[in-house]
Amino acid sequence: MLSADAETVWTCPFCPLLCDSLQASRQPGAGLVLQRGNCAKAQAGLGRFETSTVAGALLRGRPAPVEQAIAHAAELLRCSRQPVFAGLGTDVAGARALFGLAVNSGAICDGGPALMQSTRALQDRGGFATSLAEVRERADVLLCLGSPPGERYPMFDERCALQPDDARWLVLAPGGEAPDYFAPVARLAALLEGRSVAAAPAELLQAADRLRGAAYAVVVIETARLGPQGALLIEMLQRIVASLNRKGRAAALTLGGANGTGTANAVFTWLSGLPLRTRLGPQGLEHAPLAFDATRLLAAGEADLLLWLASFGSEAPPPATHAGTPRILIGHPALAAEAADVFIPVATPGIHHGGHLFRTDGVVLMPLHPVPGLEGGGPQGLPSDEAVLRQLQAALQAASQAASAAQEAAA
Amino acid sequence: MTRLLIRGGHVVDPAHGIDAVQDLYVQDGRIVAPLPEVDETVDATGCVVMAGGIDMHTHIGGGKANLARMLLPEDHRGGSLELPSCGTCTPGTLAAGTRYVEMGYTAAFEPAMMAANARHTHMEMGDTPVLDHGAYVMLGNDELFLEMLARGEAYETIRDYVGWQINAAKAMGVKVVNPAGISAFKFNQRKLDVDEAHTHWQVTPRQVVQTLARALKELGVPHPLHIHGSNLGVAGNIESTLQTIAALEGLPAHLTHIQFHAYGKEGPKKFSSGALQLAEVVNANANISLDVGQIMFGQTVTASGDTMRQHAQSGFATPRKWVGADYELEAGCGVVPFRYREQSYVNALQWAIGLEIFLLVNDPWRVVLTTDHPNGGPFTSYPHLIKLLMNRGFREEQLAKLHPDVAAGAALKDIKRELTLSEIAIMTRAAPARLLGLRDRGHLGVGAAADVVLYRREDDMERMFSTPERVYKDGTLVAKAGTLVAAPVGGTHFVEPEYDTGIHKRLKRHFSDKGLVNFDHVAISHDELCRCCNGGRLLPAACFQGEAT
């Protein structure tokens, strides 16, 4: 009576707005296209799916049966002293499975630098958040850094009922890049705290007035654009929100957590109690948001295996590793082009099967649906990342048991 | 499945008036009549045998809990880390389930599920091992409900909307938090009394509470309206609480974490206990049930949907950080870390007020034992709380350590009552089961689910209730001497009241106009609920038939 109709509802998994007003379909010979709605990001995401070519597992670049690939990956994991799991491009089901594998292998899991920035800011100061429908309903001033997010998030204006060049935008450091943001944000925060700011430019004074006069000011924070000291910027922006909330109303909308990273962070947090950049070691949990950076760990030789999970195909490429560091890549068939000891192609949540992803505001957990005709992994019969990860965990447990049995026999 | 005999235990089963040494037989996960032969006999001599504990108000799943975890990595440092999950006031779901089971609890209910966050809430509870679970969906601050009320729409329309929302979110009941106040805060209103109008919608908390309580009764939902009242934590808020009870006009309702709503403003510090006033009214109004929300000294975190009040309290945050949020035209949340201190007059009195309420309300069937985890303190403090309630000497010893004005002046020091084992069994399992409409839980009668706990009898009640000898969940041994031995996936309790689906058209328009989630995406189907909850059993509770008019 109340079940969602998977035939007519689709959720686009290619950006954290997770729009469910679009519809994708499979065109014979033409791959996947956007049948309803218009979004360049969705089109680009769909364009990466070629449903006719064969996609199979690879062992050091050579085709191999998937069972053999999984067994080899399990052996690599068993021999690793400190594996690192990154990419984390999956949905709730995949993240649940990845957690089990991480516990079994004592892995460090990293959702990337942008996610770390918002985690750090939250842990240091907290913040005040809002969600898409609240922005649409209430925002009368929207503050952003550099430029409004529309070019990076093509559906943002439609979701928030904003016109192109909407007069409600207040753009700080227009056209600027991350390093330019610190001075104007710090000075604006000081003005709103009622401190005197020497030689404050007229635009900044006006900006402070507009924010103070707003019924509901929204500060839009794009975590991926804030640079290596982004946590400090987020803290300052949250200080602006807190100052405004003393007498009026304001809140921050975070845009980030794309390609499943926000979802993996939520799942790992609820299961373990700690967010990402945590080591699930045999002695317990260790959370180190700065130290447990996958790229740094691999470069410094502090991790000796990379497991990269990227099932959406829209993730960044995997990080570089030293020669001889095993690489296990699980994800979109196009990852086959990357160097790897083991590559296992998997289905994509929201394309080949259903699932769940957290929206950018972290409150709505959106259901995903397969594109009609691609259910169950499409014509290539791709397995879900969840299934592969669970098989890998079982293989790892079996390999560990066999190894300790062999050790006992030898002793 | 094996046939089990639990022999010679002291069975405390207040639902059947049993408080005596008796044998208990279990087959296929149920309590059964005596069997001629069994496969296993457990010697329960020297043990107290009770049904599994049920926590009807504990913030263990969903958005707020997860924000609290992200906010407070401090909670996870040090201590034992034998599990890949840790934390005390913000435990991971794996740790929460384990700790609950090790204490003899077999069910827990998340009291503040946002509809927009319902899938997430069910996911977390599905990842909480062993425990059966369910959640109350929050209503009464959603703009659609307030708009319907403001426009004076037909009551039946509002009732259908409530019925739809419960079905869509797969909820066990409805909770209202600071009626109309969370919404009012979005319009920059900082306070809302029971008869004060919402600045935008011009409706009052009284109207919200009345409408929701009536709707739930007519929909036949077993658990009546779960109310987190107006003015939480404010000195003098006993007035709001009594006004809320009056507003119900005899309709059944459950007032939650009532300790936070029972403050007078007498005395030199303008902060006093309203427990006696409250108890008198509750004793005289059989339609009212409570859970206490006892505070416990030490570090915790307060996680609430009450954005208005949490913002007001955020200056007290310890450590100095907090998270707030406005969400999806329906609710919000505020997460404020807090340390309750014995030498704080206010905290000490809050502690005394909670205990006074437990001891002054006559009918234990209407007072449920909670700390509003983690708001008053972590649920792991329940054994300590039980000792405070059962042992007057221990209670007075603790009281003497507190702020001197409280130690000397609290009404608590003159209360002689010590709760009995049977009363504790009521407050921790029998009453919550009855208040939730769980017919086969919270008791040990033939046909009941075999959620059974064996506590080794000790003089120290805190020790006794901390580490039961054995815990059975649906007949399976899940914990032994305080250690988890099996982790089956728990089931999901929910209700599915009937309503007129004619409301769907209206709702579809609203969701589309407001840029909310596609209406066809909102309702959670049985299949999806099962996937969210990790494949656990679905346990729909029956609604009362023939109540709707």
Side-chain angles (χ1 to χ4, degrees):
Chain A
M1 171 177 74
L2 281 163
S3 67
D5 183 0
E7 291 295 311
T8 59
V9 192
W10 182 68
T11 306
C12 174
F14 299 114
C15 103
L17 297 183
L18 297 172
C19 299
D20 59 357
S21 57
L22 309 171
Q23 179 66 50
S25 71
R26 184 184 178 204
Q27 304 293 94
L32 304 183
V33 294
L34 205 52
Q35 183 194 323
R36 186 174 66 229
N38 184 16
C39 172
K41 212 160 181 174
Q43 270 157 351
L46 291 168
R48 293 189 194 99
F49 289 86
E50 167 59 62
T51 56
S52 49
T53 50
V54 180
L58 303 175
L59 264 183
R60 282 180 226 94
R62 296 181 179 209
V66 68
E67 296 75 17
Q68 201 184 329
I70 286 174
H72 188 64
E75 189 56 23
L76 291 173
L77 272 172
R78 188 184 72 76
C79 296
S80 167
R81 297 167 70 93
Q82 183 53 69
V84 61
F85 293 2
L88 313 190
T90 184
D91 71 338
V92 172
R96 277 170 158 176
L98 189 69
F99 179 82
L101 185 64
V103 170
N104 270 268
S105 50
I108 291 170
C109 298
D110 176 18
L115 190 67
M116 182 275 281
Q117 305 291 0
S118 37
T119 302
R120 290 264 293 165
L122 182 72
Q123 291 175 345
D124 285 352
R125 293 192 81 89
F128 200 106
T130 190
S131 73
L132 286 174
E134 295 286 349
V135 175
R136 182 186 173 103
E137 179 79 3
R138 302 185 206 285
D140 54 351
V141 176
L142 291 106
L143 176 74
C144 66
L145 305 183
S147 62
E151 52 194 81
R152 272 94 51 197
Y153 297 89
M155 291 291 285
F156 184 83
D157 288 357
E158 187 177 325
R159 298 298 298 273
C160 296
L162 293 160
Q163 301 303 316
D165 302 317
D166 200 289
R168 286 173 285 175
W169 279 112
L170 180 57
V171 183
L172 219 53
E177 295 284 328
D180 297 342
Y181 298 148
F182 281 88
V185 173
R187 294 168 101 187
L188 182 60
L191 281 173
L192 290 167
E193 268 299 290
R195 299 206 192 100
S196 65
V197 174
E203 308 95 80
L204 212 57
L205 293 170
Q206 279 166 12
D209 281 344
R210 275 184 70 188
L211 286 166
R212 269 196 219 100
Y216 195 88
V218 170
V219 177
V220 178
I221 302 175
E222 283 183 72
T223 51
R225 299 184 72 233
L226 301 180
Q229 301 301 327
L232 292 176
L233 273 170
I234 297 173
E235 285 191 23
M236 276 193 273
L237 291 166
Q238 286 290 3
R239 206 180 317 154
I240 288 174
V241 170
S243 299
L244 292 169
N245 271 330
R246 229 168 275 144
K247 291 222 168 102
R249 281 312 326 273
L253 179 75
T254 300
L255 293 173
N259 297 316
T261 54
T263 300
N265 192 45
V267 173
F268 275 62
T269 303
W270 84 54
L271 288 168
S272 75
L274 283 163
L276 284 172
R277 289 205 168 166
T278 288
R279 176 172 188 251
L280 298 153
Q283 303 297 314
L285 301 163
E286 202 182 332
H287 177 56
L290 288 174
F292 290 164
D293 169 345
T295 307
R296 192 198 69 79
L297 289 167
L298 290 163
E302 291 172 30
D304 62 0
L305 179 147
L306 169 68
L307 187 150
W308 182 257
L309 179 59
S311 303
F312 294 103
S314 41
E315 297 88 349
T321 43
H322 293 300
T325 300
R327 292 161 67 88
I328 301 168
L329 308 187
I330 298 171
H332 188 282
L335 266 182
E338 297 283 340
D341 293 82
V342 179
F343 166 65
I344 302 169
V346 293
T348 299
I351 298 294
H352 301 104
H353 59 78
H356 294 90
L357 278 177
F358 277 93
R359 213 168 70 178
T360 188
D361 44 38
V363 65
V364 182
L365 181 60
M366 291 293 294
L368 306 177
H369 307 279
V371 173
L374 293 188
E375 299 87 349
Q380 297 144 310
L382 292 166
S384 69
D385 54 18
E386 179 197 5
V388 167
L389 291 166
R390 291 201 189 281
Q391 285 167 32
L392 186 49
Q393 187 182 347
L396 173 62
Q397 282 168 336
S400 303
Q401 277 161 14
S404 47
Q407 232 170 19
E408 271 171 38
Chain B
M1 194 178 253
T2 52
R3 294 159 299 175
L4 173 70
L5 163 61
I6 299 170
R7 194 172 60 196
H10 175 176
V11 175
V12 180
D13 182 17
H16 299 97
I18 294 170
D19 191 348
V21 172
Q22 264 190 12
D23 294 342
L24 211 59
Y25 291 85
V26 174
Q27 188 174 24
D28 298 329
R30 297 267 153 188
I31 307 289
V32 293
L35 297 164
E37 54 181 311
V38 295
D39 306 303
E40 190 193 345
T41 301
V42 172
D43 181 8
T45 316
C47 288
V48 171
V49 180
M50 292 187 187
I54 298 171
D55 194 340
M56 69 179 287
H57 190 107
T58 173
H59 297 271
I60 54 162
K64 283 188 305 299
N66 227 26
L67 271 176
R69 295 180 190 112
M70 291 179 188
L71 181 72
L72 284 176
E74 297 92 327
D75 186 47
H76 306 267
R77 298 210 175 109
S80 75
L81 295 172
E82 75 278 18
L83 272 176
S85 184
C86 57
T88 305
C89 58
T90 65
T93 55
L94 301 175
T98 306
R99 293 284 108 80
Y100 260 119
V101 173
E102 288 168 355
M103 268 177 12
Y105 273 71
T106 51
F109 290 81
E110 162 59 48
M113 172 168 73
M114 258 185 282
N117 191 244
R119 287 179 170 89
H120 174 193
T121 307
H122 287 301
M123 291 264 188
E124 284 203 19
M125 292 191 296
D127 280 336
T128 305
V130 187
L131 297 183
D132 290 335
H133 46 82
Y136 321 138
V137 66
M138 291 203 283
L139 281 171
N141 279 289
D142 47 315
E143 306 296 325
L144 180 60
F145 175 87
L146 295 172
E147 183 184 346
M148 285 173 160
L149 213 53
R151 287 157 52 140
E153 289 194 29
Y155 160 75
E156 290 72 16
T157 311
I158 300 179
R159 187 186 63 200
D160 289 335
Y161 168 55
V162 174
W164 168 79
Q165 186 63 83
I166 294 170
N167 274 277
K170 293 288 172 283
M172 188 59 188
V174 172
K175 183 189 189 196
V176 62
V177 175
N178 187 352
I182 304 173
S183 164
F185 182 66
K186 295 175 184 174
F187 294 88
N188 202 25
Q189 200 166 1
R190 299 299 169 118
K191 168 183 104 31
L192 194 62
D193 289 326
V194 175
D195 288 308
E196 191 174 357
H198 180 295
T199 179
H200 178 76
W201 295 112
Q202 299 299 318
V203 301
T204 63
R206 179 182 296 269
Q207 285 172 281
V208 172
V209 164
Q210 270 174 352
T211 308
L212 285 173
R214 181 177 163 203
L216 288 176
K217 179 160 196 286
E218 292 185 12
L219 288 166
V221 174
H223 186 48
L225 181 61
H226 199 89
I227 303 174
H228 154 150
S230 309
N231 291 317
L232 178 139
V234 178
N237 65 9
I238 184 70
E239 288 309 319
S240 304
T241 303
L242 300 182
Q243 283 165 2
T244 303
I245 293 173
L248 289 161
E249 294 172 1
L251 286 164
H254 180 86
L255 303 186
T256 191
H257 43 67
I258 195 68
Q259 175 277 130
F260 290 108
H261 302 268
Y263 306 147
K265 50 181 177 191
E266 311 299 317
K269 297 202 166 63
K270 306 277 179 236
F271 185 75
S272 57
S273 171
L276 188 60
Q277 246 178 310
L278 176 83
E280 276 173 8
V281 173
V282 171
N283 285 337
N285 286 273
N287 59 315
I288 300 297
S289 58
L290 314 169
D291 66 81
V292 171
Q294 175 68 31
I295 71 138
M296 289 294 175
F297 298 109
Q299 178 69 50
T300 193
V301 58
T302 63
S304 171
D306 195 340
T307 333
M308 178 190 268
R309 293 302 314 149
Q310 290 293 79
H311 180 264
Q313 308 275 13
S314 61
F316 298 114
T318 317
R320 291 182 61 84
K321 55 183 176 181
W322 80 288
V323 191
D326 299 319
Y327 282 142
E328 289 299 276
L329 309 182
E330 67 167 80
C333 84
V335 177
V336 181
F338 196 78
R339 178 182 285 276
Y340 292 102
R341 293 179 303 116
E342 294 181 344
Q343 293 312 313
S344 148
Y345 175 82
V346 170
N347 297 164
L349 196 57
Q350 287 179 301
W351 180 87
I353 291 168
L355 295 176
E356 286 168 17
I357 295 168
F358 274 116
L359 299 167
L360 291 172
V361 175
N362 299 331
D363 181 3
W365 288 94
R366 294 194 283 127
V367 193
V368 173
L369 186 141
T370 66
T371 56
D372 185 20
H373 166 88
N375 294 333
F379 64 79
T380 44
S381 56
Y382 287 176
H384 179 82
L385 175 55
I386 290 172
K387 184 174 178 181
L388 288 169
L389 294 170
M390 294 186 73
N391 184 334
R392 187 184 174 204
F394 178 67
R395 191 160 72 220
E396 286 176 352
E397 234 171 73
Q398 301 306 306
L399 181 61
K401 294 180 190 168
L402 307 186
H403 187 284
D405 293 349
V406 174
L412 182 65
K413 74 178 165 39
D414 301 319
I415 300 179
K416 297 191 176 61
R417 186 172 169 195
E418 292 182 326
L419 297 186
T420 63
L421 268 180
S422 179
E423 285 171 325
I424 292 295
I426 294 170
M427 290 178 175
T428 54
R429 42 269 281 164
R434 190 176 283 185
L435 291 169
L436 288 165
L438 306 176
R439 291 170 192 185
D440 62 350
R441 309 274 161 175
H443 68 89
L444 296 171
V446 168
D451 295 349
V452 187
V453 192
L454 278 60
Y455 296 102
R456 173 75 50 198
R457 194 181 261 288
E458 308 232 15
D459 290 334
D460 183 339
M461 289 298 158
E462 184 169 349
R463 269 184 60 156
M464 172 171 150
F465 280 97
S466 294
T467 43
E469 191 75 19
R470 281 166 177 257
V471 182
Y472 292 90
K473 176 74 180 53
D474 293 307
T476 302
L477 182 67
V478 288
K480 212 172 163 182
T483 304
L484 199 70
V485 295
V489 178
T492 307
H493 292 290
F494 58 98
V495 289
E496 297 185 301
E498 285 178 20
Y499 68 95
D500 183 347
T501 55
I503 186 90
H504 288 183
K505 217 170 130 189
R506 162 81 186 273
L507 292 169
K508 201 175 169 97
R509 202 170 60 236
H510 170 78
F511 276 76
S512 162
D513 289 350
K514 296 293 184 184
L516 295 160
V517 170
N518 188 329
F519 179 72
D520 296 330
H521 247 160
V522 176
I524 304 171
S525 68
H526 279 195
D527 283 351
E528 193 186 358
L529 182 64
C530 194
R531 281 196 300 277
C532 286
C533 295
N534 244 328
R537 285 192 302 155
L538 302 186
L539 306 167
C543 287
F544 303 123
Q545 298 302 312
E547 291 266 9
T549 49

